[in-house]
């Protein structure tokens, strides 16, 4: 996010020297946000992803936000089928995909109608004018041609993408349908010219994906688009967005789901144990299964179960068998796993359960984001069954969260929940690739008869209160576990009241003890003062941008972001007490706020939003201003 | 399971130190005794054996076996076992479940475990009742049974566990009886030998809530007429010597014929039992043999070879490793497009 | 509970005139608590229930507490197999089964060992001396004969129940085993003599249950026991507990589960609609299914589903079809229903979901009680899916809770949760049978085309915000509902952000609006002051007794008991603010306390217990004293 | 369902006002069209028809039917339908589900709904893939299929929906094809006529994630050889006239014989199709007929009468009422021991 402009409006538009190999003047911009929008079948997600990768290679900081419908491919040309992809890139540090795009590329009237009101005033709106006819206008729900009116509010640029693409691909042995499918690459070419993106990565990528005339067609139209940008009079100038100054190192683009998957694979390597992932597909979590399934050569086994009960049960079974076990799902599926997770608490086995949250209730809006599952994952099991919760806050952070979750699970012999969300899952950002040597190595150690006198499955490590992880195949440690109340130490079945109370207390103490391992909370801003803004999970970018923005307006605002939602860090209460006002923006009805209020009796103000969409920076700055102005 | 026949073990080694908590006279006692008696003969060291169960009287079973054991949650035992076996193919994994646990709440996991052909033994104790929750009818209870939840009699048509297993594509299917020690021990051994999911229905008496349900096949006197002992290569003949009967099939429909004392059953068209046809339809016909019109078949209905899930999974790991080398984390993190700053 | 003696020690033991038909002196007592204990097969629950019914007929106030193992019939003579039943009865108002029994009847050494330490000092311990031999002592885990030592601490009375019973039944055509099974009725006879209970109800009951020699045997041994009490020197006197002064009316004994079942049946009658109950058996909820299944002639249909997912789904289906639909379960089963309940929230259909809580986590101790599911039922669904919660507080109150739940569900078109527990479920108390005419009649009204213009499935009643209940079979109201985010009014599938937020807000407002219907909270004690004790659910008796007790010691303590746990009553915040200190005892880790702290920012002190057992009055009085003594 | 043949309805009346949101070319379109075409002929007024579905592309179906409709949650549609039908037997309740919805997460409900013989129609759209979640393999996918979740190929042995339904004790079982309008309409009518659970597998093409999976039976040219059209009373003969083949059974195992042009199939021992044998084993043999060794049977495998769940339930209500009179609440509350103060 450009710091001074929470709305994503580029702050400097001075023409500078021409881009290399470019015959038109180029203006320098600090940053820009572009949204691609078209039919589900128009390849918008692909176009967006390619443009992101090129932008990353150009050295900009960036943030993306894909937003697509739940249908695979709703009827062409309808509002229901519109798929969007927004990318924000800049020469300075940015935190979000931007509230309002500066540029919209709309492939048809429905895409225009669904998105144009988000574009900043006088922003650029590029339309595929070939798709504007009475029929498609009607399908989109437009009565009249909207362009005349829009020309008042935006710089409307009309490009006949379909025609130009067809012209470019004449002579190839492709059907009309195949030809038309390439038009998104023509548009990509235009944009690459406009914003000075290199295209070789895309050409390489196309080479790996297609062959023959399809490959030829895509490359030809990409180049044709680039040439069109340079040649035509429609765009008087192109733009330069200089590379951002970011920490040195090797970077890549990564989405949250990919990072989770890689974190899972990495845990196996770093902890020297095989990984078992049991999952049932569900949007937006399925990609973690898909990605992990590609790495059998890491000794990783994935199991697509028949349902979520089987997914989690197989995972607990694998944990019993000594694997680094993990299951992944989204809200509706996670909820179905709660009964079994209660058993995992009782038998104190290590495993990781990931919930990539989506917008509900019920089936809700499966491809939209929300943070509404915190209380469900924390409390959704019957009776007292505490489980630690880790919430990653950026796509790349998902990698580290997965690694940490496994370490915690094994050290404390407990299930651990990782709480991601649809926004983190699908968004991408440049990610500083960690050096493998810098990652902690924690080889798993199982209980072994040689280390133990009389084996007691529920004897506890005095430090961590963890019980031993004794796995089948180990001679002398044969034992039985299960969900009935267990006797302290022996683990035998028993109904004694005192013992039942004691075991509840032990499990609680064990989980609370985990907070000892946390690093102190980092406070961004003064350690005490008027306003503290707290966040958790995928809202980090928006909150950071908003806080930076109001600070530049002179407000004294501090910020912390909680990664550990259970147990809470032990310094949290102290920090809360040092501020006059505390604001907690959440994409839910205020789950963390409820927990903090209950625990610390602090009047945490909750800023809630349950619209299936991330926070806009402006929503947050406004709330901070309001809080600042408020009496107490 | 690394079976080692040289290993000398005793029944006692498989008896855990826990008090057995079933009602007096419960059929589960004899099943437990038989399992404990067979285990030493299988040649699998105790530490490589895992018993997994759900919830129910029957599902208390693992506590009494001095092996690894996991008493899980209601209905999900096959899924737990899948995780164990898929990740550690060298373990011998036994599932103990009841007619309620396995066929009511757990029906879906039974289906999928069986069709995947995970190499485990599934012992389903069928007492046609929910024992642990004090006597409600189960999916195998007969229509009309009056139980706590069906004071006017049950109206659900029962499911037959064997027929269900066939519909799921089971590679090994057998039925045995709680009180028939020799038969059960033989079936348990066969189940263990089978590579793939071995589904075994064990007819079990619950003297407290559903007494005598299997009486005709349990009782030594009525058994010969009431049950048909399946033996590979032998004709489907049953009944006392002086009054033998045989089973013939016509267009997939079975019927009974009387055999004179000197009849050759095979000549009379009596079907010869074959455990191995690839098509499950032969076993499917057997499964329709039900009391009172037919004798109840006991023994191995079907035993065919198909690749097991865990072996194929391990193959993918091995072949991926052979093709791509052992995974290199740093290489993974740097794969695809990266850039240096 | 006798008011002055929180420990259940009878306060007056003056001999009074003899009981009618009794040749020994009779002492008058205010109240007494007796515990029956024996093997699971010894018929303790039955003996206890019979004694309770007779006690009720004798006009005493009473409270019972059955406590049995999870096994059907664990091996005879072991601690694991011990089953107990406690009854407390009195001539004055009592609230609990008493902390400590005055009398223990132990049928074998294991029953003695498992229970004797609970008996009040110098209480009476009656043992079946026939069962005391080396083998059974060893099975019970006794090294030496415990009786000599126990004689120091208790009045030990040794009765050869087995021998006496056999003697009484000589000559009947019964097997030894059948004869021995009758001995509990011998003991019952003894106790009936001892406490002057009439036996005709039991004889009637036996007559309805058995016939032939079994009936004869049971009656004979019952009478023999009575005669034995009167004849033998072992009991020097019998006791009289005069009838209690309680409100006039017709009474019966009722357990919580029975009351729930009858409440369900009553709802069908009062609302003039058929009832559908879909359930999967689970302890301690199954009896509700069993009981409701007996009333098909009320037009009630019960469905034993294949699992909890099917139970709740069939229930929602029946609600869609226009039935008074209800599902019942306990913790582990309830949790499995949460995904479907999320759908019920989205489609806004009326149904009642009952959770009879038990002690966890996981399978835990299924026959023991706890209140640990409040947060799970409140928050256990993904995303925002608010559902009202009603918690009955006595066995008889379960009847009214069920009725209220249906009324609320239909009025507001929402699922409603009734949160009972194992203690309420199995305990019994005398219940003032309500006059049917005094119960509200709320005939269900479905949407009808005649009442409506253009039908909109999500149009709302301006008052309640409820949508119309339009059921299949109604011509002209054909419509489709489902779990995807719905458009306001039309109910069409839509992914629009504003609409999604609006629907969340509407659902929330609808549920919060329910509080308008509540009666004001009744405060027992001064409306403001030092200490307020809050309770909910089945702890009412113990809390009431404890508060009465400390008040008599001069403390100013007020008490409220919450029946509505979501939404909270609107006068609650105000009441909380009027007390210096607030104590909240819960059989959990403090679920309601967490909610009150979060909502009202009041420092509610939580008294927690998770041992699978109800509160003892002494635990509560102690906590109140401590709070009173505490600084702030 | 109070069917009223006099009722005159049109296809259009069954078309809802919602835009249909499937991919271009999806087999679901033609299934929808056929259902909408058949509905008016069934004589059930629109307001008495309920479509219930789970989650999946297929499960969007109810939105497009101008009847009552309930798009529920993943896998549970049969259980919702059970609640509707058990409480309101007069409604015509149709279940639409997919191979993932019905046979993966929903397998247990399918089993129990079928065995209870609830009088509903279950339409299972089998495209051998998870469409809505963008292309993972399903329980009916073939071994080896490469999908998003099985980059090295699937290792699960698929379950056959028909064989599974037989194992569950289904009273009506049929298979039809998305593109064969006439056949499908006939099967839909038959399913509706059947009293009890009518289980219909509809082979459906997913052009986006699993294109062409049913091509040989869909294609008019290959169809004659690739499929076997079941007709009651007709021998199991298929193939082009000049090259007919027939199916014979031996001891429950099917095989193919070639028929000369003037052969009488019945004389040659070809089995004559019978929808009605009480024993499910005949249909069980048919179910093992699979491509490529056999033609794939389409049509009605089995249609037998058994009391339905909802009818028996209603009987209990009626008989209890007849015996005990309409329930009297006050009498209930005062039943058993009471006392007055
Ligand atoms: C989720 C859940 N639902 C219900 C129960 C209650 N329950 C325990 S065992 C059981 C049935 C057991 O029947 P079966 O498997 O036949 O075992 P049996 O006791 O007859 O051996 C039920 C319903 C439970 N423990 N968990
Ligand atoms: C509890 C739950 N788990 C997972 C999902 C995700 N999900 C939705 S549809 C589906 C599979 C659908 O496959 P199928 O039934 O074959 O339908 P198709 O799309 O192929 O028609 C899955 C896994 C979900 N919605 N809910
Ligand atoms: S209830 Fe039945 S099955 Fe359970 S232990 Fe007792 S006899 Fe066995
Ligand atoms: S993904 Fe496949 S099944 Fe789903 S709508 Fe598209 S073509 Fe049809
Ligand atoms: Mg059973
Ligand atoms: Mg499918």
């Amino acid at each position: 996010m450009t710091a001074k402009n929470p709305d994503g409006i580029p702050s400097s538009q001075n023409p500078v020297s021409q881009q290399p190999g470019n015959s038109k003047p180029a203006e320098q911009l600090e940053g820009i946000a572009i949204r691609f929008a078209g039919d589900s079948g128009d390849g918008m997600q692909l176009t967006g992803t390619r443009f992101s990768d090129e932008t990353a290679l150009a050295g900009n900081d960036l943030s993306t936000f894909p937003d697509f419908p739940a249908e695979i491919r709703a009827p062409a040309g309808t509002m229901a089928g519109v798929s969007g992809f927004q990318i924000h890139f800049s020469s300075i540090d940015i935190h979000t995909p931007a509230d309002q795009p500066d540029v919209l590329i709309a492939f048809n009237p429905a895409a225009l109608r669904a998105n144009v009101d988000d574009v900043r005033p006088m922003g650029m709106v590029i339309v595929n004018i070939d798709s504007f006819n009475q029929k498609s206008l009607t399908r989109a729900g437009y009565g009249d041609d909207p362009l005349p009116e829009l020309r008042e509010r935006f710089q409307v640029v009309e490009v006949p993408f379909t025609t130009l693409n067809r012209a470019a691909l004449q002579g190839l042995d492709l059907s009309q349908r195949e030809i038309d499918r390439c038009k998104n690459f023509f548009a990509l070419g235009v944009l690459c010219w406009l914003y000075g993106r290199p295209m070789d990565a895309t050409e390489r990528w196309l080479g790996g994906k297609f062959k023959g005339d399809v490959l030829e067609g895509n490359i030809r139209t990409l180049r044709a688009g680039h040439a069109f940008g340079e040649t035509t009079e429609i765009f008087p100038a192109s733009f330069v967005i200089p590379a951002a100054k970011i920490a040195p190192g090797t970077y890549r683009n990564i989405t949250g789901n990919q990072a989770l998957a890689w974190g899972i694979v990495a845990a196996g390597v770093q902890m020297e144990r095989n990984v078992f992932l049991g999952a049932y597909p569900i949007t937006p979590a399925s990609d973690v299964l898909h990605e992990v399934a590609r790495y059998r050569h890491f000794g990783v086994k994935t199991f697509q179960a028949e349902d979520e009960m089987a997914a989690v049960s197989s995972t607990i079974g694998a944990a019993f068998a000594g694997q680094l076990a993990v299951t992944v799902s989204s809200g509706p599926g996670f909820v179905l796993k709660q009964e079994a997770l209660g058993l995992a608490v009782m038998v104190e086995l290590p495993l990781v359960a990931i919930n990539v949250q989506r917008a509900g209730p019920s089936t809700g809006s499966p491809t939209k984001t929300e943070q509404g599952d915190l209380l469900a994952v924390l409390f959704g099991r019957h009776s007292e069954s505490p489980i630690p919760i880790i919430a990653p806050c950026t796509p790349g952070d998902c990698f580290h969260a997965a690694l940490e979750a496994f370490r915690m699970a094994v050290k404390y012999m407990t299930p651990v929940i990782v709480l991601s969300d649809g926004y983190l899952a699908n968004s991408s950002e440049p990610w500083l690739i960690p050096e493998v040597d810098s990652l902690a190595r924690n080889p798993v150690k199982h209980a072994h008869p040689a280390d133990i006198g009389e084996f007691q499955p529920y004897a506890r490590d005095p430090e961590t209160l963890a019980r031993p992880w004794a796995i089948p195949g180990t001679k002398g440690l044969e034992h039985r576990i299960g969900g009935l109340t267990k006797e302290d130490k022996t683990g035998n079945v028993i109904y004694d009241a005192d013992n039942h109370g004691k075991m509840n207390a032990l499990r609680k103490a064990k989980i609370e003890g985990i907070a000892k391992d946390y690093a102190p909370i980092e406070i961004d801003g003064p350690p005490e003062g008027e306003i503290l803004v707290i966040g958790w999970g995928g809202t980090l970018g928006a909150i950071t941008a908003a806080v930076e923005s109001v600070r530049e307006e002179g407000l004294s605002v501090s910020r912390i972001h909680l990664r550990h939602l259970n147990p809470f860090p032990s310094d949290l209460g102290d920090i809360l007490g040092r501020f006059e006002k505390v604001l907690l923006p959440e994409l839910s009805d205020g789950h963390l706020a409820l927990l903090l209020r209950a625990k610390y009796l602090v009047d945490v103000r909750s800023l809630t939003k349950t619209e299936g969409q991330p926070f806009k920076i402006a929503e947050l700055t406004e709330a901070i201003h309001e809080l600042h102005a408020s009496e107490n | 399971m690394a079976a080692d026949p040289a290993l000398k073990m005793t029944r006692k080694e498989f008896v855990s130190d826990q008090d057995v908590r079933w009602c007096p006279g419960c059929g589960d006692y004899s099943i437990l005794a038989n399992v404990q008696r067979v285990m030493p003969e299988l040649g699998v060291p105790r530490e490589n054996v895992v018993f997994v169960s759900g919830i129910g009287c029957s599902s208390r079973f693992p506590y009494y076996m001095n092996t690894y054991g996991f008493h899980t949650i209601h209905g999900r035992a096959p899924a737990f076992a899948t995780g164990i076996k898929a990740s550690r193919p060298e373990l011998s994994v036994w599932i103990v479940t009841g007619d309620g646990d396995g066929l009511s709440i757990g029906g879906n996991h039974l289906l999928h475990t069986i069709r995947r052909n995970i190499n485990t033994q599934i012992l389903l104790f069928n007492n046609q009742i929910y024992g642990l929750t004090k006597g409600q009818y189960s999916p195998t209870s007969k229509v009309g049974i009056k139980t706590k939840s069906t004071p006017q009699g049950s109206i659900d048509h029962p499911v037959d566990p064997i027929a269900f297993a066939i519909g799921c594509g089971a590679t090994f299917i057998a039925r045995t009886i709680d009180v028939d020690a020799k038969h059960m021990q033989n079936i348990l051994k066969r189940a263990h030998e089978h590579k793939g999911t071995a589904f075994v229905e064990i007819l079990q008496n619950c003297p407290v809530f559903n007494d005598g349900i299997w009486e005709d096949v349990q009782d030594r006197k009525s058994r010969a007429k009431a049950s048909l002992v399946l033996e590979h290569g032998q004709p489907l003949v049953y009944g006392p010597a002086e009054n033998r009967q045989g089973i013939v099939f016509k267009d997939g429909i079975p019927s009974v014929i009387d055999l004179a004392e000197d009849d050759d059953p095979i000549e009379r068209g009596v079907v010869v039992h074959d455990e191995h046809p690839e098509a499950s339809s032969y076993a499917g016909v057997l499964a329709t043999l039900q009391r009172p019109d037919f004798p109840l078949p006991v023994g191995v209905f079907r035993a065919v070879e198909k690749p097991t899930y865990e072996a194929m999974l391990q193959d993918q790991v091995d072949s991926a490793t052979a093709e791509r080398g052992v995974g290199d984390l740093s290489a993974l993190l740097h794969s695809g497009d990266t850039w240096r700053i």
Side-chain angles (χ1 to χ4, degrees), chain A residues 206-473:
Chain A
L206 283 167
K209 190 95 182 166
F210 301 112
K211 45 184 193 260
D213 277 8
V214 176
L215 170 61
E216 171 69 17
N218 278 309
I219 291 189
R220 226 196 253 177
T221 196
L222 179 72
R223 293 185 185 165
H226 196 274
F228 173 80
E230 187 166 346
T231 323
T232 176
E233 297 288 293
I234 296 184
F235 303 103
S238 70
F239 303 91
V240 173
I241 293 93
K245 272 174 233 74
I246 35 182
T250 305
Y251 284 80
R252 65 172 308 123
N253 264 340
I254 198 160
T255 66
N257 274 347
Q258 189 180 10
L260 275 176
W262 289 12
I264 290 166
V265 173
V269 174
Q270 298 305 98
M271 303 179 73
E272 298 177 10
R273 269 266 142 233
N274 289 335
V275 167
F276 177 92
L277 181 147
Y280 186 68
I282 187 169
T283 305
S286 313
D287 281 337
V288 179
L289 165 65
H290 305 160
E291 182 70 17
V292 174
R294 297 174 55 208
Y295 304 111
R296 298 251 196 278
H297 58 305
F298 280 83
V300 168
K301 289 179 176 172
T302 55
F303 167 61
Q304 179 176 314
E306 57 271 28
D307 58 22
E308 283 85 358
M309 278 75 66
V312 66
S313 298
S314 66
T315 300
I316 300 173
F320 180 64
Q323 311 295 294
L324 291 183
V326 52
T327 184
V328 55
S329 199
S330 184
F334 192 93
V335 162
L336 290 171
K337 295 178 180 173
Q338 291 280 32
E339 191 213 355
L341 287 175
L343 175 66
V345 168
M346 185 63 109
V347 296
E348 303 188 41
L349 280 171
L351 60 115
V352 175
I354 302 174
N355 179 356
V356 185
Q357 301 165 97
R358 65 190 218 185
S362 195
T363 309
S365 301
T367 55
K368 309 293 175 189
T369 197
E370 235 162 70
Q371 299 182 301
D373 295 356
L374 172 55
L375 291 173
V377 304
L378 184 61
F379 292 131
R381 295 162 296 282
H382 63 282
S383 301
E384 309 306 329
S385 4
I387 298 185
I389 303 172
I390 301 175
C393 53
T394 64
D397 186 37
C398 290
F399 176 84
H400 300 285
L403 265 178
E404 183 186 358
F406 276 110
R407 278 200 300 270
M408 190 185 282
V410 171
K411 177 168 177 188
Y412 291 94
M413 288 292 284
T414 178
V416 174
I417 291 166
V418 174
L419 201 52
S420 177
D421 63 48
Y423 172 73
L424 289 175
N426 293 319
S427 300
S428 68
E429 59 159 27
W431 182 52
L432 176 61
I433 301 173
E435 286 302 321
V436 170
D437 291 346
S438 74
L439 300 172
R441 276 195 95 81
N442 308 75
V444 168
K445 284 202 193 67
H446 293 298
H448 197 271
D451 317 337
I452 321 180
E454 195 207 347
F455 178 61
Q456 295 192 309
Y458 279 76
R460 287 175 194 280
D461 179 300
E463 183 84 11
T464 59
L465 297 183
R467 73 177 196 89
W469 195 8
I471 63 168

Side-chain angles (χ1 to χ4, degrees), chain B residues 22-23 26 28 57 127 131 204 206-209:
Chain B
W22 287 308
C23 307
C26 178
D28 292 354
C57 296
N127 56 11
Q204 176 237 327
C206 167
V208 173
F209 294 113

Side-chain angles (χ1 to χ4, degrees), chain B residues 60-122:
Chain B
R60 291 293 181 94
F61 202 94
Y63 289 119
Y64 310 134
M65 293 297 303
N66 193 11
T67 61
Y68 284 90
F70 202 166
H71 177 222
T72 69
I73 47 175
H74 198 30
R76 320 288 176 205
F80 283 86
T82 296
I84 297 170
K85 187 73 185 174
S87 64
R88 300 276 312 274
E90 74 276 20
L91 299 172
S92 173
V93 180
W94 298 69
I95 298 167
V96 176
T97 182
D99 45 321
D101 189 63
L103 283 168
S104 194
I105 190 169
N108 205 33
H109 310 303
L110 217 48
L111 154 61
H112 290 280
T113 303
I114 289 174
R115 82 173 170 84
R116 291 190 189 107
N117 204 30
I118 313 253
N119 187 6
T120 59
Q121 294 68 243
I122 303 181

